[in-house]
Amino acid sequence: MTGQVAEAPSATVEGTDLLTVGVEEEFLLVDPHTGTAVPAVDLVMEQVPPELRGQVEREFQTSQIEIGSPPGLELSSIRHSLGVLRAALADAAERAGVRLLAIGTGPVDGPVPPVVDKPRFDQMIERFRLLVPGPGNNGMHVHVGVPDPETGVQVLNHVRPWLPVLQAVTANSPFAKGEDTGYASWRSVEWEHWPSVAPTPFLESHEHYQRLIRQLIASGMMLDEGMLYWYARLSAKYPTVEIRIGDVCPSVDDSVLVAALVRAMVATALDDMAAGRPAIRTDHHLLVAAHWRAAHDGLEGDGVDLTDGELRPAWELFDQLVERLRPALERHGDLDEVTDLIGGLRRHGSGAARQRAVFARGGRLVDVVSDVARQTRGTGRA
């Protein structure tokens, strides 16, 4: 929920049309024996190496912890930063007697850990009461630099029809309260308890964007701009577009793939704008349906094709998106790595599919927890 990165990124590399990208990831802290979420964030924070503490912070619940990578141009730098931070945080968690999981929400039933003691969070609980439904909702937020807020608003319009596809790719929370929920991303369902969680509306201008924020705050639905939980928004602190639809990814490989795709989506939107191609004004209710279907089916089922409202295999929609993004991926030097990572995703499945495969072998959620912990620390899926 906090929505911070390590430092303010510039929009582009000077003299080029290449965009910077930064990643935030939220994790769950669990008991290493039972897999239940535990309120251990303070213990873990004490164990984080001093040189990394500026990139690690508390999240909304005491069972959560968050990292933010420095923004960069090269995917290799994002990979390195996330790998270092994940490994250091996993070690810190072990020293504190708990386990770090890159998972959308806790799969094992147990008490709901309390909210972090912070005045703003206290205000949120006072106003919204029982909207904390589970052990912690853990997402991935990707920041991509844009030249100015007006351009950023138009980018939001252009990327909104593709975000359900991204949601399907990142689905990583099929289990909750000890059972299979029937959804690939149960985090998405829990997250929508908050009233300001929604697809980004079609925006006429930056002034329109700001006016909506003022009106939503005045209505009481949000305390402040930080509670604008649209699936894509402008950062309130940095010159970036922030895409925040996905579950946290199980491995660094998955995170790097999503970061590359999001940057290419923003770059493609900028290309379309420069060429005078208008954004697609997708019907709001059809967009809501597409997001619901993505949360339900994930990458292994069907998705809604927003060009005609028909169902298509989610992989087919994903392949169409990647083909559309190909020029931007090539321009940023990401195509070869993205192609390789998609091959791994196709072999091993989404995070949700991997969890279900582990559970199918032994019928034990503790095995799922162990496998997610392994992926969280490592870089690969195999």
Side-chain angles (χ1 to χ4, degrees):
M1 287 189 179
T2 50
Q4 296 184 17
V5 290
E7 58 185 274
S10 59
T12 61
V13 176
E14 188 174 354
T16 75
D17 58 355
L18 304 182
L19 306 179
T20 58
V21 62
V23 174
E24 301 162 9
E25 296 186 307
E26 300 160 354
F27 304 96
L28 190 68
L29 302 171
V30 302
D31 183 287
H33 305 293
T34 66
T36 57
V38 289
V41 66
D42 288 340
L43 295 174
V44 176
M45 289 291 289
E46 291 173 0
Q47 298 296 326
V48 174
E51 66 273 16
L52 296 179
R53 287 179 185 169
Q55 298 175 71
V56 180
E57 62 181 323
R58 293 166 181 80
E59 239 295 322
F60 186 60
Q61 286 171 258
T62 51
S63 53
Q64 296 176 279
I65 197 163
E66 180 180 15
I67 62 173
S69 76
L73 177 65
E74 301 294 335
L75 286 187
S76 58
S77 67
I78 299 298
R79 177 182 292 279
H80 174 75
S81 296
L82 294 179
V84 167
L85 287 165
R86 280 180 173 230
L89 212 55
D91 287 341
E94 289 181 10
R95 288 193 294 270
V98 298
R99 224 172 195 177
L100 184 76
L101 297 187
I103 194 167
T105 193
V108 179
D109 198 14
V112 176
V115 171
V116 168
D117 185 12
K118 186 176 180 181
R120 180 172 178 269
F121 294 165
D122 292 341
Q123 285 181 289
M124 291 170 67
I125 295 300
E126 182 179 358
R127 179 173 297 181
F128 300 104
R129 307 301 290 178
L130 297 178
L131 290 187
V132 183
N137 297 131
N138 304 300
M140 175 188 185
H141 306 159
V142 182
H143 287 256
V144 180
V146 289
D148 56 75
E150 197 65 56
T151 300
V153 163
Q154 298 309 315
V155 167
L156 296 179
N157 289 339
H158 278 260
V159 302
R160 64 197 290 270
W162 294 104
L163 295 185
V165 178
L166 195 68
Q167 184 177 11
V169 171
T170 60
N172 186 36
S173 51
F175 296 102
K177 297 183 179 180
E179 61 183 88
D180 193 319
T181 64
Y183 284 76
S185 174
W186 186 248
R187 180 203 67 90
S188 298
V189 178
E190 290 187 330
W191 183 228
E192 288 176 1
H193 284 75
W194 293 96
S196 56
V197 175
T200 309
F202 198 93
L203 300 158
E204 301 302 332
S205 64
H206 185 233
E207 193 281 327
H208 181 205
Y209 180 92
Q210 292 179 309
R211 185 171 71 251
L212 278 175
I213 291 174
R214 293 193 300 269
Q215 291 170 335
L216 293 175
I217 292 171
S219 76
M221 192 177 78
M222 306 189 319
L223 291 179
D224 49 40
E225 187 173 351
M227 283 193 70
L228 186 71
Y229 299 144
W230 291 345
Y231 299 153
R233 68 183 186 185
L234 303 183
S235 170
K237 296 186 176 182
Y238 309 121
T240 63
V241 165
E242 181 185 1
I243 307 298
R244 42 189 297 117
I245 184 58
D247 288 1
V248 64
C249 292
S251 76
V252 172
D253 273 356
D254 300 302
S255 298
V256 170
L257 172 59
V258 172
L261 293 173
V262 170
R263 174 166 63 180
M265 289 171 68
V266 175
T268 300
L270 292 171
D271 291 345
D272 286 346
M273 291 159 59
R277 291 187 286 269
I280 300 171
R281 295 189 71 123
T282 305
D283 180 84
H284 171 76
H285 293 287
L286 186 59
L287 190 57
V288 169
H291 280 292
W292 176 85
R293 192 78 196 203
H296 186 273
D297 284 26
L299 192 54
E300 282 70 33
D302 289 329
V304 177
D305 186 337
L306 288 169
T307 64
D308 58 12
E310 298 296 325
L311 287 181
R312 305 271 187 272
W315 264 105
E316 180 180 319
L317 297 175
F318 179 51
D319 288 340
Q320 290 175 6
L321 172 61
V322 174
E323 186 60 31
R324 174 170 167 75
L325 302 182
R326 179 178 291 271
L329 291 169
E330 288 181 327
R331 187 164 71 245
H332 284 85
D334 297 343
L335 183 59
D336 288 345
E337 182 163 7
V338 164
T339 300
D340 181 63
L341 292 172
I342 291 173
L345 184 64
R346 200 179 294 274
R347 289 191 301 273
H348 300 291
S350 67
R354 287 172 236 166
Q355 289 187 47
R356 283 172 166 150
V358 170
F359 186 76
R361 289 196 291 270
R364 302 193 324 152
L365 283 175
V366 291
D367 295 337
V368 174
V369 168
S370 294
D371 189 68
V372 173
R374 176 189 61 80
Q375 292 183 73
T376 302
R377 177 185 288 278
T379 59
R381 306 180 186 91

